[in-house]
């Protein structure tokens, strides 16, 4: 199915698969969807997640220690797709696990599991020809990261080759919560939209890296199509038990489209 954001702003929720357990990840993802998340990003555990901050790094370490594999993540994706067929579902990974698995095999299995698309955090569009061919072959949406430092030529290539949505990084650096949105985010979204040019369909733009509360989401609604939330959810899971995490995440997701005062009640 095509990824869509029926509410503005849309919500993209990231979870590290296998943290705290595979069963909990499945329950958390379904709870997040029921609470209003439009898209679930299933993070593939990786031993060297250099693009992530300490919160997600710790989650990756825990999931790797439990020997969570890419095959396990695809199995969870299949379960989520069966349980919530209308939700958007993205495999969020570094390139190394895909290469170890086999690119063509990964493309086949991700499509068979019901994923809508793939975001490879350390894949740049200039080096993505083989990857793009495989995504196109199995009708998976390649989602690329765009950064404030990306030159216009790269943004134009990202606009040309992306499907589903474009993930705009709100600031330079690693993932993690922040106190306020930077002006870089709005400027980057404007540059991305300009990069589509005339006559080319414009994809939704989701802003991530540091989005952690309803105030951030309200600010993003003024210029972006969706908010991508990762570290705030992963940290909440870290503080919860496997049994309580789905409910805690659902409450958090519901609160993201409410005034800050509602979260305190």
């Amino acid at each position: 199915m095509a990824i869509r954001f029926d509410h503005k702003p849309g919500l993209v929720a990231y979870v590290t698969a296998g943290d705290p357990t595979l069963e909990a990840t499945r329950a958390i993802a379904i709870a997040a969807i029921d609470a209003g998340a439009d898209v679930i990003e299933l993070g593939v555990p990786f031993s060297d997640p250099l693009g992530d901050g300490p919160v997600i790094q710790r989650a990756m370490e825990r999931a790797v220690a439990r020997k969570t594999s890419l095959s396990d993540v695809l199995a969870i994706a299949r379960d989520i797709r069966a349980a919530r067929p209308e939700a958007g579902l993205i495999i969020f990974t570094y390139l190394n696990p895909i290469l170890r698995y086999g690119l063509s095999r990964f493309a086949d299995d991700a499509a068979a599991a019901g994923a809508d698309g793939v975001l490879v955090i350390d894949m740049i569009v200039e080096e993505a020809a083989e990857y793009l061919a495989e995504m196109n072959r199995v009708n998976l949406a390649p989602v690329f990261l765009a950064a404030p430092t990306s030159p216009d030529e790269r943004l134009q290539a990202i606009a040309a080759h992306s499907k589903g949505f474009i993930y705009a990084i709100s600031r330079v650096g690693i993932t993690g919560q922040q106190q306020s949105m930077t002006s870089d985010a709005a400027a980057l979204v404007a540059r991305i939209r300009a990069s589509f040019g005339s006559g080319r369909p414009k994809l939704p733009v989701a802003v991530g890296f540091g989005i952690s509360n309803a105030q951030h989401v309200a600010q993003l609604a003024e210029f972006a199509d969706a908010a991508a939330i990762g570290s705030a959810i992963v940290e909440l899971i870290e503080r919860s038990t496997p049994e309580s995490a789905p409910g805690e995440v659902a409450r958090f997701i519901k609160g993201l489209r409410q005034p800050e005062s509602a979260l305190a009640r």
Side-chain angles (χ1 to χ4, degrees):
M1 60 167 285
I3 293 171
R4 65 181 190 271
F5 298 108
D6 293 331
H7 305 90
K8 185 171 181 179
L11 295 177
V12 180
Y14 169 90
V15 292
T16 300
D19 179 53
T21 66
L22 291 169
E23 294 75 15
T25 298
R26 185 182 300 108
I28 290 165
I30 291 172
I33 294 166
D34 292 346
D38 301 284
V39 175
I40 297 296
E41 292 178 332
L42 272 182
V44 177
F46 181 50
S47 59
D48 196 21
L50 295 179
D52 290 296
V55 171
I56 294 179
Q57 285 183 13
R58 291 195 300 269
M60 292 272 189
E61 290 170 0
R62 292 188 294 267
V64 168
R66 293 186 176 93
K67 302 187 185 304
T68 306
S69 67
L70 180 50
S71 294
D72 294 328
V73 178
L74 295 176
I76 293 175
R78 187 177 297 107
D79 291 345
I80 295 169
R81 173 56 67 227
R84 299 294 184 270
E86 298 303 313
L89 188 57
I90 297 291
I91 306 299
F92 190 107
T93 183
Y94 287 84
L95 181 59
N96 184 269
I98 292 178
L99 295 180
R100 292 186 62 187
Y101 194 89
L103 178 57
S104 293
R105 178 189 172 205
F106 167 76
D108 289 336
D109 291 355
D116 296 302
V118 180
L119 194 163
V120 183
I121 190 170
D122 52 350
M123 169 74 76
I124 61 173
V125 68
E126 294 90 342
E127 299 177 358
E130 184 179 1
Y131 164 75
L132 286 168
E134 287 296 324
M135 295 296 100
N136 183 65
R137 179 178 65 82
V138 297
N139 198 32
L140 284 172
V143 179
F144 285 97
L145 294 172
T149 53
S150 297
D152 290 343
E153 293 79 5
R154 176 170 292 174
L155 293 183
Q156 290 166 7
I158 288 171
H161 294 294
S162 294
K163 295 180 181 178
F165 64 96
I166 293 173
Y167 191 126
I169 299 173
S170 68
R171 61 167 193 260
V172 176
I174 57 176
T175 60
Q177 300 182 52
Q178 60 183 334
Q179 295 301 311
S180 61
M181 297 301 303
T182 68
S183 60
D184 289 346
L188 174 59
V189 172
R191 290 178 61 217
I192 291 170
R193 287 179 172 153
S195 70
F196 283 98
S198 61
R200 185 183 297 171
K202 291 179 170 59
L203 291 176
V205 180
V207 174
F209 280 42
I211 314 307
S212 60
N213 56 49
Q215 180 181 3
H216 291 163
V217 172
Q219 290 172 343
L220 288 179
E222 298 177 3
F223 59 86
D225 300 291
I229 305 96
S231 293
I233 292 174
V234 174
E235 186 175 45
L236 182 60
I237 294 168
E238 184 178 44
R239 298 198 311 262
S240 305
T241 66
E243 295 75 23
S244 67
E248 293 293 334
V249 170
R251 178 180 178 275
F252 175 76
I253 294 289
K254 289 178 181 178
L256 288 173
R257 288 200 181 101
Q258 301 172 3
E260 284 289 338
S261 58
L263 298 180
R265 292 200 293 266

